[in-house]
Amino acid sequence: MIQKKVLIIDFGSQYTQLIARRVRELNIYSEIYPYSKLPAIDHTISAVILSGSPCSVLQPDSPFVNLENIQGTIPILAVCYGAQFIANENGGIVTSSEIREYGRANLTEISNENLLFSGVKLGSQVWMSHGDTISKLPKNFSIIASTRDVEVAAYKIENEDTFGIQFHPEVYHSEDGKIVLSNFLINISGIKQDWTPDSFIDQTINDLREKLSNDKVILGISGGVDSTVAAVLLNKSIGDNLHCIFVNNGLLRKDEYNDVLEKYRKIGLNVKGVDAKKDFYEVLNGVSDPEIKRKNIGNKFIDVFDLEAKRIENVKWLAQGTIYPDVIESISATGGPSSTIKSHHNVGGLPDYMKLKIVEPLNTLFKDEVRLIGKSLGINDVLLSRHPFPGPGLAIRILGEVTEERVRILQEVDSIFISSLIENDLYHDVWQAGAILLPVKSVGVMGDERTYENVVALRAVESTDGMTADWVHLPYSFLSNISGEIINKVKGINRVVYDISSKPPATIEWE
């Protein structure tokens, strides 16, 4: 079956991934492409959405896309910069706003007869984020919505299904944003809502069988949700040709190495454990810079896999559990002009000496979508409900130099924290939790003696996909008890603090 899709053209907006999420929530498949590298426009594309951008159409080097084969043929919804771009390219006038409009606004006028706003309430709150405004529309454009400060909050081109909206329907602050997207995709574009976990599984298994054929694949597994789901998908696709490798890099949680091996063997995966912790400690010796840590871990990870791949005859593929937020934060929103936040050890190319191709069956999915896929695959909830854990492990939760002793300290703290969340029925109220060992020491008193020991920070956040996150308001009584237990049981710690920063402006991990 040919999968119909929505093409999202990315001009580098920080919200582009949210557009994809909202489309998928409607059970409609979408793909994001940078404006500078579009796919072939064919009958599989049922609708096109243009994203916003940090750029201005008034800049001489602003992002440009040729819509000649799209506009008037395929329905278009142009958001923010996208709306200004189409208006400007068709002879309208876009000017710099006297006051940059950022935040909440309300629709004061709506064209009720227009399908795009069917069911949208007059006065509905929308989210604005723009420094330019459309001051004059081309002749064949008509205004279909306004706010108090923006006359052209939305427009339609006559005799074609091309719409421009100045606000962001993908952001939850836009109260009826989902209705607008639903109207465009279902009522105007006529797209069927047939993209479900089961359909994704069927399509992915078919694609993997076609791509991999009888080739052997090696996959690194960690016990996390992503690698687990990737492993089961690949196992269903190619069976015994999948060779799973679990590397003990010495940066895992307490007792995790043996626990993970046992769990995977129980679900029938062909898995081999490799204890390489001494090798990883060696490449981290004396290293404090977080990016160098990540790169060193990533390089050593590849070295270990290269060695294991050579021990398995005729391996041709390296599989990875890379998911979409990893890609976004590493390569600037699929190539658009947005900002890179940090690198991920499992994103990017392989060195020339390693003769393996990469397969990433989950790299278009968000974390919650991966869990839905895992549930449909019948994976045990104990594995699916595990909190996300960074690929570089505790190395990026140890600020400063990584040593075996500092790893031991953090493992003990993390074990107490996570176990206590589970025992107090708080674990599933938290999206991700962990402990961070800080590169400072503090004065304390234990008994009658003065101490000068390490400080550890606890971090617990709630999120949907990791792109944004709020700190969790854990009960004071819980924090008090956990602080006392950590200080009393973990030698080397005399102070515990709790991180109450949200993302943005902070990130979930400290490095």
Side-chain angles (χ1 to χ4, degrees), residues 403-420:
T403 66
E404 194 164 0
E405 174 61 13
R406 299 191 82 200
V407 171
R408 180 201 65 79
I409 290 172
L410 191 56
Q411 283 177 331
E412 295 294 337
V413 173
D414 181 84
S415 178
I416 292 172
F417 185 29
I418 299 300
S419 296
S420 297

Side-chain angles (χ1 to χ4, degrees), residues 204-205 208-209 212 217 219 221 227-244 264-271 319 361 377 379:
T204 301
I205 288 175
L208 288 171
R209 285 173 178 165
L212 304 175
V217 178
L219 167 66
I221 54 176
S227 62
T228 299
V229 174
V232 174
L233 268 174
L234 284 159
N235 187 53
K236 286 184 175 293
S237 304
I238 60 174
D240 291 340
N241 278 338
L242 173 66
H243 295 260
C244 297
Y264 281 125
R265 284 167 180 160
K266 282 184 176 179
I267 62 175
L269 293 179
N270 175 22
V271 57
L377 286 168
I379 298 173

Side-chain angles (χ1 to χ4, degrees), residues 158-408:
E158 296 174 10
N159 300 319
E160 61 183 74
D161 288 326
T162 300
F163 302 83
I165 53 176
Q166 188 62 75
F167 60 90
H168 289 268
E170 68 275 18
V171 177
Y172 76 89
H173 297 295
S174 292
E175 294 174 335
D176 293 329
K178 191 171 184 178
I179 295 176
V180 172
L181 288 173
S182 177
N183 285 338
F184 172 70
L185 296 170
I186 300 167
N187 298 335
I188 294 170
S189 304
I191 303 175
K192 294 181 179 179
Q193 296 172 275
D194 57 5
W195 190 72
T196 63
D198 287 342
S199 69
F200 174 86
I201 292 168
D202 291 342
Q203 185 68 47
T204 301
I205 288 175
N206 288 334
D207 290 346
L208 288 171
R209 285 173 178 165
E210 182 177 346
K211 175 186 261 186
L212 304 175
S213 187
N214 293 318
D215 292 349
K216 290 183 181 179
V217 178
I218 189 170
L219 167 66
I221 54 176
S222 65
V225 176
D226 305 332
S227 62
T228 299
V229 174
V232 174
L233 268 174
L234 284 159
N235 187 53
K236 286 184 175 293
S237 304
I238 60 174
D240 291 340
N241 278 338
L242 173 66
H243 295 260
C244 297
I245 304 295
F246 179 56
V247 177
N248 181 11
N249 59 11
L251 305 167
L252 305 171
R253 287 171 165 160
K254 185 179 179 181
D255 300 326
E256 190 167 23
Y257 180 55
N258 292 326
D259 289 345
V260 166
L261 284 176
E262 183 180 355
K263 283 185 175 69
Y264 281 125
R265 284 167 180 160
K266 282 184 176 179
I267 62 175
L269 293 179
N270 175 22
V271 57
K272 177 183 178 182
V274 180
D275 191 348
K277 61 184 178 183
K278 296 297 183 183
D279 295 331
F280 282 88
Y281 288 155
E282 184 177 339
V283 300
L284 290 171
N285 184 36
V287 177
S288 296
D289 183 275
E291 280 299 291
I292 297 177
K293 285 182 190 178
R294 289 176 183 272
K295 289 174 182 176
N296 287 359
I297 291 169
N299 290 337
K300 179 53 61 178
F301 172 82
I302 290 174
D303 289 343
V304 172
F305 265 73
D306 186 42
L307 182 61
E308 292 304 320
K310 289 174 180 176
R311 291 173 176 166
I312 304 170
E313 190 176 348
N314 297 323
V315 171
K316 294 185 178 179
W317 297 84
L318 171 65
Q320 296 186 147
T322 309
I323 63 171
Y324 195 42
D326 297 338
V327 177
I328 293 169
E329 290 194 341
S330 295
I331 61 170
S332 176
T334 65
S338 58
S339 299
T340 297
I341 308 300
K342 61 186 176 185
S343 65
H344 286 259
H345 82 288
N346 60 340
V347 176
L350 292 171
D352 291 338
Y353 69 80
M354 194 173 183
K355 306 302 181 183
L356 298 181
K357 296 177 284 186
I358 286 182
V359 57
E360 297 173 319
L362 308 178
N363 67 355
T364 61
L365 299 180
F366 293 92
K367 180 69 74 173
D368 59 318
E369 294 173 328
V370 175
R371 286 197 171 98
L372 289 174
I373 299 301
K375 186 175 181 179
S376 291
L377 286 168
I379 298 173
N380 190 295
D381 189 59
V382 174
L383 286 169
L384 288 180
S385 63
R386 293 189 66 190
H387 289 172
F389 188 66
L394 297 180
I396 60 168
R397 292 183 178 176
I398 297 174
L399 274 60
E401 185 178 359
V402 177
T403 66
E404 194 164 0
E405 174 61 13
R406 299 191 82 200
V407 171
R408 180 201 65 79

Side-chain angles (χ1 to χ4, degrees), residues 467-481:
M467 301 306 299
T468 60
D470 292 319
W471 63 278
V472 177
H473 294 240
L474 293 175
Y476 288 146
S477 57
F478 172 83
L479 292 173
S480 176
N481 291 337

